[in-house]
Amino acid sequence: MWLINSSIGRKVVMSVTGIALILFLTFHCAMNIVALFSGEAYNMICELLGANWYAVVATLGLAALAVIHIVYAFILTAQNRQARGDNRYAIATEVNPGKVEWASKNMLVLGIIILLGLLLHLFNFWYNMMFAEIVGFSSGHLPSDGFAFIIDTFSNPVFVVLYVIWLCAIWFHLTHGFWSAMQTLGISGKTWFCRWKVIGFIYVTLLMLAFLVVVLAFGLKCAPSLYSFGG
């Protein structure tokens, strides 16, 4: 099957899964913003998206997308390095001299940082919420009390710093990945190439800024009145 066996097919899979993950991040961001205004409303969403069958199915689907994206990323990176060696950016430099993006040259490093951040995030939230509800254990709060877990996590300055680094890595990764995915899928011609770069930059920047606001708002206790909802 060409989606698996060919380099172009793997890039298509990377692009489709990447776009799907960006859409999930958009939903996740909207959910997080709710916590800035109402802990009760945020917990209602957490309860709705708890260990219900549809939430579990969606989580498994999301996990599959993430695993496929990560595995294909490592495969393509290894193939590119093997094929081009020390000159793996020569073609891009010839096309756009001096304009090879830093993110493009460091996607593997960014990917590793993102993966480590994802594991930390899963431990802080998914493990203590959905997984805890499925297996029936408590880590100090009710599994549906996501607001309390936000407070606990970002009351630790180390986690705040780690999340900021994680979000910065995601920003670099997505600002490159967004237009690259459009180009791979054939949606980006000569006219739309620069447009997609601008659209992707603006969209991803706003998305990551929204995540960052949530982290800093809780980490720096900019809105202490929020904590009255924590129970």
Side-chain angles (χ1 to χ4, degrees), residues 61-83:
L62 180 64
L65 288 173
V67 169
I68 292 171
H69 190 80
I70 292 169
V71 170
Y72 272 52
F74 278 103
I75 292 175
L76 286 171
T77 299
Q79 288 179 337
N80 289 338
R81 288 178 179 273
Q82 184 178 9

Side-chain angles (χ1 to χ4, degrees), residues 122-170:
L122 289 174
F123 174 76
N124 285 333
F125 293 96
W126 178 82
Y127 173 77
N128 290 311
M129 296 174 69
M130 179 179 285
F131 182 77
E133 186 175 347
I134 291 174
V135 301
F137 78 87
S138 175
S139 58
H141 300 291
L142 292 174
S144 60
D145 194 358
F147 192 76
F149 288 113
I150 291 179
I151 294 173
D152 284 351
T153 299
F154 298 121
S155 62
N156 186 334
V158 174
F159 283 143
V160 173
V161 172
L162 291 176
Y163 269 81
V164 170
I165 294 173
W166 185 40
L167 292 173
C168 289
I170 295 175

Side-chain angles (χ1 to χ4, degrees), residues 56-132:
V56 173
V57 170
T59 300
L60 292 174
L62 180 64
L65 288 173
V67 169
I68 292 171
H69 190 80
I70 292 169
V71 170
Y72 272 52
F74 278 103
I75 292 175
L76 286 171
T77 299
Q79 288 179 337
N80 289 338
R81 288 178 179 273
Q82 184 178 9
R84 298 180 184 177
D86 295 333
N87 297 318
R88 56 186 178 276
Y89 303 113
I91 295 176
T93 305
E94 291 172 4
V95 175
N96 292 300
K99 293 186 178 181
V100 180
E101 294 182 350
W102 180 89
S104 177
K105 295 187 291 184
N106 295 277
M107 289 296 273
L108 179 61
V109 175
L110 291 172
I112 292 173
I113 295 173
I114 292 170
L115 177 58
L116 293 175
L118 177 61
L119 294 175
L120 175 65
H121 186 63
L122 289 174
F123 174 76
N124 285 333
F125 293 96
W126 178 82
Y127 173 77
N128 290 311
M129 296 174 69
M130 179 179 285
F131 182 77

